[in-house]
Every structure is written in structure tokens, then in C-alpha cells.
Amino acid sequence: MRALIAAAVCTIGLTATFSASAAGISNGVVKIGVLTDMSGPFSDWSGNGSLTAVQMAVADFGGKVAGLPIEIVSADHQNKTDVGLSIARQWYENGKVDAIFDISNSVVALAVMGLTKEKNKIVVLGGVSTPRVTEDACTPNSIQYIYDANALSNVIGKALVKQGGKSWYFITVDFAFGIGLEKTTTTVVEQQGGKVLGSVRHPLNTADFSSYLLKAQASGANVIALANSGTDTVNAIKGASEFGLSNGGKQHVTSLLTFITDVNSMGLDQAGGLVLTTPFYWDADDASRKFAKRFFDRTKRMPTMVQAGMYSAVTHYLQAIAATGTDDTATVMAKMKSTPINDFFSRNGHIRHDGLALHDMYLMQVKTTGESKGPWDYYKQITTVPASEAFSPEKPGACKM
């Protein structure tokens, strides 16, 4: 009898040990991949800055989680779907990568999301706005962490229509991000009683916007809306300034997605007065300033909302692993979605079951040269838009997950 009891206890002990091991950290390491634009039109607001933010988050976590090391790999997807997909596949199949962060290109992101679901890993998206992420392309393995097109449209669109911008014309980058942003903003403008007079599309990374601006000018629209980002936004606003469209006349240009690095590239002479939306500004409060100073010491520039968001996202991911003791995808995703997020980036934040991270957004205006007190003192806050107003509710049946 004693022998049988001893054998039973031994068996239970072995089973418990096996279960704990099976539920623990795969491969004895938590491996994070930062896949982003390191050299193209989005590199200023994501790129190496996003990598730096992820490195800071891991360092602040002590370089370990659940007693095991955290490793980081990074790569440039070059804004090419095949390149991004190839890197992600290699990372998942051979590189022991558990989660990919950033991407910041809608087309690449949609492709990597499908692969991530197939490989049962996790992807947390940075500067990706297309609503498809949480609608027809949604997966249980993906999170849209910074914003979506609806949030950008809700905050900017409603504000400008209320200010008298009743007629709109879009200059839109011709891929998923821009097309989705134009579509959602059109809906908001029309719901507020405004009218869209037309639109024109341009290739990614366009240097000369003269022909597009002439068409927009000829439309007579009150608001010429730029549904693009990065160097495209900078080039378009510089061109608009040359056409006299940024000086308070009957027509004015607005950017639906503006980063602080864009304002820095343009200068306040050209960007002053621009209205924008963001969930993060480096000078918002003590916590933001503390993070931004550390980031600036490493990069010699202030963090964008995407870069700050990637620090927040990685921290939230690691906290979920620490709380559950495993990097199992389903377990970690469930913990991330059930845990509120309140840090210097995400105010009143949580992740919806369709993968959209909700948080308060700010409506900001770019200061004029006379208002700015020095380098990177670029924004003044108009209002805080609560998460419930900034982000649109789920569309019934849009995400079949």
C-alpha cells in the first residue's frame, strides 16, 4: 500500500511538473520582433525610434520575465509585403519569435496578421489605421494599439466641420491606409452635415504635390484633407504653403494623421495652426516628460505617438506574461484584453475583444513661432476626447472572430 501511495504521489508530482513546464515559457526565452520601416517614408515616426522604445521597455522590465530572458530582433520590411511576410515567416518558424510589434504599414500588417494567426503567435500593430484590422481581416492574435481610421476621423472630422469646414476634398495616398482614412472621414463629415466634393490619389512617397493641390484648389472646398502620412504629409503641406493654402484663407489644408516629427521637419512657419489628433504628447504631464527625456537622450528627438505606444504595448505584453507565467498565445491575449491600461501613453485604456485598443485622444493645435518657447514645444491642447467618443463602436458582424 505504501509503495502504491508513493508511486501515486510520484506520478502526480511528475504530472504537475510536466503541466507547469508545458504552460510556461516556450523555448526558455521570450522573443520579441520589431518589424518596421527603417529607411522609408514612415521611418521618422516609427523605425529605429520604435526599436529604441521597445528596448527601453525590455530594459525597464529587467531584461527578464517569469525568470527567463527577453530577446529582441528587428528588421526593415521596406514597405514591401513580400519582404515583410518573408521576415515574419522566418522569425516565427525558425527564430523562436513569440510576438511581432509595430509594422506601421497597413498592407504589410494585413499580410502579417494572416500569417500570425496561422502560426498562432501575436502581432501588436503600431501606426496602422485601416479599419480592416478589426473588421473583415480581424484575428484573435492581433491588436491595433495606437489608433484606427475611425478615431482619427471622429476627432478631426467633427472638430473641423463644427469650425465651418462644410465642404471637403481629399488628397489620398493610394493604398489601404489612405483609402480607409478617406472613407471613414467621409462618413463622419457627412454625418455632421458636411459634403465631400471629390478626391485624388497619389502614390506612396510622392515628392511633388503640385498637380494634386491644383485639383484640390479648383474644387473650391473649404477643407483640403490629407489622407497620408510621413514624408508625403510633409511634402504636401510644404507644397500647400507655396500655393497659399495654409494662410487662413477660404481654403485650408488639414492633415488627418500628423506626427510630431512631421511638424519638426516642416517647421512652425509652415505647420503653425495645424489641427491634429494624438493619444500622446511628450509635454502633456510629468510621466510623459520623464519618458520623453530618456528617449531623447538616446535618439536626440522627442518620441512620436507610435514610438511611445510601442513602449506601452511591450510593457503590457510582458506584464501579461508575468501575471500568467506563460507565453501561450491564447492565455497572454486573454490577459492583455482583460487588464486595463493606464500609463503615460494610454489613458483609460483597454483592449476590445476585436483587438482594438481604446484610450483617450487629444485634439491639439500646432503652435505658431511666436507661441513656441523652444525646440519641440510644438503643441497646445484644445480638448481631451474620451475613448468612448474618439473610437467608433463595433459594427455588428464586421469581425467574425
Side-chain angles (χ1 to χ4, degrees), residues 90-130:
Q90 193 279 326
W91 280 354
Y92 287 151
E93 293 180 350
N94 305 314
K96 300 180 181 178
V97 167
D98 299 293
I100 291 177
F101 286 78
D102 197 4
I103 300 186
S104 288
N105 178 301
S106 294
V107 178
V108 178
L110 291 170
V112 172
M113 282 171 59
L115 177 66
T116 301
K117 180 182 178 183
E118 175 191 328
K119 300 300 179 183
N120 195 31
K121 302 290 187 176
I122 291 174
V123 61
V124 183
L125 305 175
V128 175
S129 70
T130 175

Side-chain angles (χ1 to χ4, degrees), residues 246-259:
S246 303
N247 298 319
K250 292 183 179 180
Q251 291 182 298
H252 68 272
V253 175
T254 190
S255 169
L256 299 175
L257 179 58
T258 309
F259 297 94

Side-chain angles (χ1 to χ4, degrees), residues 311-330:
Y311 178 99
S312 173
V314 168
T315 300
H316 191 59
Y317 169 69
L318 294 175
Q319 287 172 341
I321 294 175
T324 59
T326 180
D327 60 0
D328 172 71
T329 292

